[in-house]
Amino acid sequence: MLMLVALFGFLLTGINCNSLYTELGETRSELPCCQGQFVKMCMPVSVNITKLGDPKLHLGIIKDILDFKGPVGEAANSYLYENDEAEVTITEHNGDIYGHAWLDNGESYDIEYCGDNIHVIKQMDVGSMPEADEITNDVFGNASTRIDYPEMRTTDTTTIVTFSLKFYYTPQFAAITADIEGFINEVIAVTNQGFINSKAPVRLQSCGLEMTSFDETGNSYADFDTFKDMKESVEELRGTADAATILVAGPAELVAGATLCGLAKFDSIGSGETVSINAKACMLSKYVLGHELGHNFGLGHNIEQKPNPNYADGNGYLLPGGKYITIQAYRTPLKERKINYYSNPDVVFDGQPTGVLGSTNSVRVLTQNRFAMAALGDESKCAPITTTTTTTTTPHPTTTESYSFCVKKGITIVDHLQWRGYLDLFDCIFKCYYDPNCLGWLYNTQHNYCYNRISIPASGEWDGPDLTNADCAMEFRCYDKGILAYYWSLMDNIKTASAEECHRTCRGTLSCGNWRYKDNLCQLYNMHLEQNPSWDSGSKRC
């Protein structure tokens, strides 16, 4: 039954020309990025990043087409898509993508790069995730002892202020995250979208990335203390940033009363201890980074859980007449769907204000304290995040400037049809996906014949592309029903200065999927498509 459901999902996503990805039909719980007790399903997918920024986008997990709403804030590589049933953010990083889909029916999905040219889409079990918390104690956090900063407050309620965050991570987090920078970029995009949704004049940027050496214990409070005291002072921990956080993988099993999605110092701008800990599984599905940063700003949970002792209106909100709660609120049996909004009486969601004047207005507190938060560090000294750790997978080459790595000197690619047997459609596609030399597949629907198009290098005077490299592939046909495609057809002869320019030209030419180059002659090829009702076909990359 699972195979039939997966295959049906593939057909839905494959046929739709707006599809971001094609499901490859079998859950892969053994992949490192699929580990964790809150992962309900983890499906390998083939992504087509060229669809990002298109006016319309289709995801197989969402019934209707999504509309492109624009970039997330100022992030040119983060995209916001919406329709009546979903909000989706997607971030591209070095040819890979991370994404999060919030569905109105309560489902939550993450898209993640797993390394080795594999992406997955994960359904997350949000209902089983623990809550996040804040730390208040006799040292600070109480209204009677906290350091105030009235000189930083202002009547300016509109200027957008950017504050910065230094990221740390544990070895356990690195073991299950192939592209740490890409993941962080997506988390920042989701967090900023929460500020944008709520009309809060606040934005977040990264300011440094560092791997720690301590092992996670599963006790969030103990790990938080270890992190907080990891350096000589909290100022050294923050570096030039305004705040610091550590990303953890989370435990294999929950420690009762001690395992949380996140933990942060409450109302800590005055003391400068703007630190937090965040568990990976919760960061997108529960907006936990935005939640913990909210605690640093002075935001509490919902009044029903515990009224905010320092700001009477700095509380999360349970929207009336429905099932929704804002970022800071704790869920209840009847209010279980967290939306990416801070409480604000002036912002409406599902026909209801997301706050009440005087009691639930987190945006007022964020707005009031934003200048003080941004004054803790020096954003001008923040460099783009770069990892200094070595992961178990090889990152994709950056393809924005050079395609020299795609050129094979004296080698051209010839397709060879390889008989795979009498198979069902899913198995035929799956065999191609896991064969590094496979470029595409053909399937006879009457007799269950399966052929894979195998890349065969031919030596000679011509240069050609490395089509087995995902970053060099140019043929993106997800699923063509009633189409037989099995050989390359010459489409054009042009003059180029180099083989690399020939490759770049092919990439920019509609339907071009292969090329060869010699002595300034660039020959462009497309796949010959022949209508035949007995055959379906598609390319490995989609």
Side-chain angles (χ1 to χ4, degrees):
M1 179 61 69
L2 176 61
M3 184 178 294
L4 291 176
V5 171
L7 177 58
F8 179 66
F10 168 81
L11 293 174
L12 283 178
T13 56
I15 291 174
N16 195 304
C17 63
N18 300 111
S19 293
L20 175 66
Y21 65 84
T22 300
E23 294 177 6
L24 297 175
E26 184 177 273
T27 58
R28 294 287 304 279
S29 58
E30 81 281 4
L31 292 172
C33 65
C34 295
Q35 303 299 304
Q37 62 184 155
F38 305 123
V39 180
K40 297 176 69 173
M41 178 275 294
C42 193
M43 181 79 67
V45 295
S46 176
V47 301
N48 183 2
I49 64 171
T50 64
K51 294 297 180 182
L52 293 178
D54 283 1
K56 303 289 183 180
L57 191 70
H58 181 253
L59 275 66
I61 55 175
I62 300 171
K63 179 181 177 181
D64 295 325
I65 295 292
L66 295 154
D67 296 314
F68 181 48
K69 298 300 182 179
V72 178
E74 301 299 320
N77 64 330
S78 294
Y79 305 80
L80 175 66
Y81 283 87
E82 292 180 349
N83 63 19
D84 290 340
E85 61 171 321
E87 178 179 275
V88 179
T89 57
I90 303 169
T91 299
E92 183 273 335
H93 180 254
N94 284 354
D96 305 315
I97 65 171
Y98 278 84
H100 173 65
W102 177 95
L103 277 64
D104 189 57
N105 63 8
E107 294 180 354
S108 179
Y109 294 86
D110 295 343
I111 302 173
E112 183 169 350
Y113 175 62
C114 286
D116 297 329
N117 299 330
I118 298 175
H119 286 80
V120 296
I121 184 163
K122 303 190 291 189
Q123 184 178 5
M124 306 303 294
D125 186 4
V126 181
S128 298
M129 293 178 182
E131 294 292 357
D133 204 359
E134 85 276 12
I135 291 180
T136 57
N137 52 39
D138 293 337
V139 177
F140 60 58
N142 297 323
S144 60
T145 60
R146 68 192 177 95
I147 303 171
D148 210 349
Y149 38 90
E151 71 280 359
M152 296 302 301
R153 293 176 179 166
T154 173
T155 57
D156 180 350
T157 60
T158 59
T159 299
I160 295 176
V161 175
T162 298
F163 71 104
S164 57
L165 181 63
K166 182 169 183 179
F167 288 88
Y168 294 82
Y169 61 96
T170 65
Q172 290 86 352
F173 178 89
I176 62 171
T177 312
D179 181 359
I180 295 173
E181 298 168 36
F183 178 82
I184 290 175
N185 288 342
E186 169 65 9
V187 170
I188 291 174
V190 169
T191 303
N192 279 333
Q193 190 57 47
F195 292 136
I196 294 168
N197 290 342
S198 315
K199 297 184 178 180
V202 184
R203 298 294 184 268
L204 172 66
Q205 74 173 61
S206 61
C207 188
L209 178 62
E210 185 175 327
M211 182 174 177
T212 63
S213 58
F214 74 83
D215 290 329
E216 300 174 24
T217 67
N219 185 316
S220 301
Y221 295 95
D223 288 348
F224 179 87
D225 286 340
T226 300
F227 170 58
K228 180 175 66 69
D229 299 330
M230 190 174 66
K231 297 192 176 183
E232 291 295 323
S233 66
V234 71
E235 289 78 15
E236 185 181 349
L237 191 69
R238 292 199 325 263
T240 62
D242 303 310
T245 190
I246 187 167
L247 311 182
V248 297
E253 296 182 1
L254 298 181
V255 179
T259 300
L260 303 169
C261 271
L263 193 60
K265 286 288 188 179
F266 170 70
D267 196 16
S268 53
I269 298 175
S271 67
E273 295 202 22
T274 48
V275 291
S276 63
I277 183 172
N278 291 274
K280 179 181 178 179
C282 311
M283 293 190 73
L284 298 175
S285 296
K286 289 194 71 171
Y287 312 118
V288 73
L289 180 62
H291 180 105
E292 299 310 329
L293 291 173
H295 286 324
N296 290 157
F297 269 90
L299 303 182
H301 297 135
N302 50 296
I303 294 175
E304 295 83 354
Q305 197 268 338
K306 178 185 177 182
N308 190 319
N310 295 354
Y311 302 95
D313 57 354
N315 302 291
Y317 188 50
L318 312 179
L319 276 67
K323 55 211 170 191
Y324 304 111
I325 63 175
T326 61
I327 290 172
Q328 296 299 131
Y330 274 11
R331 64 177 182 268
T332 70
L334 297 179
K335 307 279 188 180
E336 82 286 3
R337 298 186 190 173
K338 183 164 288 192
I339 57 176
N340 197 13
Y341 287 71
Y342 294 92
S343 60
N344 185 347
D346 296 327
V347 173
V348 174
F349 181 87
D350 195 40
Q352 295 284 346
T354 56
V356 175
L357 190 65
S359 63
T360 48
N361 192 353
S362 293
V363 169
R364 189 200 68 79
V365 179
L366 292 171
T367 303
Q368 172 182 295
N369 294 344
R370 72 197 194 282
F371 284 104
M373 172 66 91
L376 288 176
D378 185 354
E379 281 72 39
S380 67
K381 297 180 180 179
C382 292
I385 57 174
T386 56
T387 55
T388 57
T389 185
T390 301
T391 59
T392 57
T393 56
T394 302
H396 284 193
T398 302
T399 60
T400 53
E401 297 181 358
S402 172
Y403 292 108
S404 59
F405 63 92
C406 293
V407 175
K408 305 290 285 185
K409 295 292 185 181
I411 300 292
T412 54
I413 296 300
V414 178
D415 281 10
H416 168 72
L417 291 183
Q418 184 177 71
W419 167 251
R420 290 295 197 178
Y422 298 94
L423 304 173
D424 62 28
L425 177 59
F426 158 72
D427 286 335
C428 185
I429 297 170
F430 209 63
K431 280 186 177 294
C432 180
Y433 184 77
Y434 285 102
D435 184 337
N437 295 314
C438 184
L439 301 180
W441 53 270
L442 294 85
Y443 185 75
N444 186 288
T445 56
Q446 291 186 346
H447 304 291
N448 298 334
Y449 298 158
C450 173
Y451 289 91
N452 283 176
R453 286 175 32 234
I454 303 299
S455 168
I456 302 295
S459 300
E461 298 178 353
W462 295 79
D463 299 337
D466 181 6
L467 296 182
T468 61
N469 186 325
D471 291 304
C472 304
M474 295 168 289
E475 183 191 6
F476 301 105
R477 297 182 305 105
C478 295
Y479 181 90
D480 287 333
K481 190 173 182 62
I483 295 294
L484 182 61
Y486 60 96
Y487 68 88
W488 297 106
S489 177
L490 180 64
M491 59 184 295
D492 202 359
N493 289 300
I494 62 173
K495 293 289 186 180
T496 61
S498 65
E500 183 180 349
E501 184 182 341
C502 184
H503 181 88
R504 185 178 292 106
T505 301
C506 185
R507 284 184 70 93
T509 302
L510 185 65
S511 80
C512 184
N514 199 353
W515 57 268
R516 66 175 189 166
Y517 172 86
K518 182 178 71 170
D519 298 333
N520 301 118
L521 175 60
C522 173
Q523 293 187 332
L524 306 181
Y525 292 83
N526 60 5
M527 181 55 60
H528 177 78
L529 306 180
E530 178 181 318
Q531 291 189 349
N532 189 317
S534 299
W535 289 87
D536 298 342
S537 63
S539 61
K540 181 177 183 176
R541 314 294 175 189
C542 176

